[in-house]
Amino acid sequence: KGDSSKSTVLPELLDYLKRAVADQASDLFIVAGGPVCEKLDKRMCPIGENRILPDESERLITDLYARANRSMDRYLHCGDDDFSFAVAGLARFRVNTYRQRGSLAAVVRVVSFDIPDWQALRIPPQVMDLAGTAHGMVLVTGTAGSGKSTTQACIIDRINATRDAHIITLEDP
């Protein structure tokens, strides 16, 4: 009834994750002092107008750790951490947590369960031919968000479809 002091209820973590997947965002940013943002086509886009306070960012990040069934000890001791988790029927998520201006913050990378078509991504056939490599080591390098994990997924999918092999991947995180 005209009470301007009522608090705004912010979305839960799962709501933000669902929104990022639905919008085909590459990343979700949780940083106190601004709205939760998603990265769409290399642009930062706020989700809603409400800025999150430090206690809200802490709540969301604590939920990230709970979903990953991971202790926050390393994060609280070192100031940053990397881990991943999945939400059934939604996607996988790679998380980097850190401190910004004394508050808990996180960047959450959305990793689809589906492997996209390599041709639609314009991955050169010569890169896909690496799936035929039987010996040695293949390094896939590049800047953040350049498609390293997606390229690897496409190559591994081709290996799985064409031959029996042991596949070992190393990635940070």
Side-chain angles (χ1 to χ4, degrees):
K1 299 179 182 175
D3 183 4
S4 61
S5 66
K6 69 180 178 182
S7 64
T8 304
V9 177
L10 294 173
E12 296 294 319
L13 176 66
L14 188 57
D15 297 325
Y16 286 122
L17 297 175
K18 287 178 179 178
R19 169 78 180 265
V21 170
D23 291 347
Q24 296 182 333
S26 60
D27 300 280
L28 185 69
F29 293 81
I30 301 169
V31 181
V36 172
C37 293
E38 58 185 356
K39 194 171 191 180
L40 300 169
D41 297 321
K42 300 181 182 178
R43 291 177 326 165
M44 299 294 288
C45 301
I47 298 176
E49 298 175 11
N50 298 319
R51 296 181 182 275
I52 61 170
L53 299 174
D55 62 332
E56 182 67 12
S57 69
E58 182 174 346
R59 183 183 66 80
L60 292 168
I61 290 166
T62 299
D63 194 3
L64 285 170
Y65 276 89
R67 289 182 179 281
N69 194 26
R70 183 178 178 92
S71 167
M72 291 181 71
D73 290 347
R74 182 187 186 315
Y75 177 42
L76 297 173
H77 177 72
C78 299
D80 69 344
D81 194 13
D82 296 305
F83 60 95
S84 65
F85 68 96
V87 175
L90 189 59
R92 284 187 58 240
F93 301 94
R94 288 194 329 231
V95 181
N96 172 254
T97 53
Y98 58 97
R99 289 197 178 275
Q100 182 164 318
R101 296 182 300 244
S103 298
L104 308 182
V107 178
V108 182
R109 169 65 50 100
V110 178
V111 182
S112 174
F113 285 134
D114 299 324
I115 298 172
D117 177 59
W118 65 273
Q119 292 168 315
L121 296 174
R122 298 185 183 149
I123 297 174
Q126 297 87 340
V127 172
M128 292 305 297
D129 289 345
L130 292 170
T133 302
H135 300 285
M137 178 170 46
V138 174
L139 298 177
V140 180
T141 66
T143 59
S146 63
K148 299 178 299 290
S149 295
T150 303
T151 299
Q152 290 176 72
C154 291
I155 293 170
I156 292 167
D157 189 53
R158 163 123 3 131
I159 293 169
N160 284 329
T162 58
R163 62 189 171 103
D164 292 330
H166 291 283
I167 303 165
I168 299 171
T169 64
L170 300 173
E171 187 171 356
D172 180 27

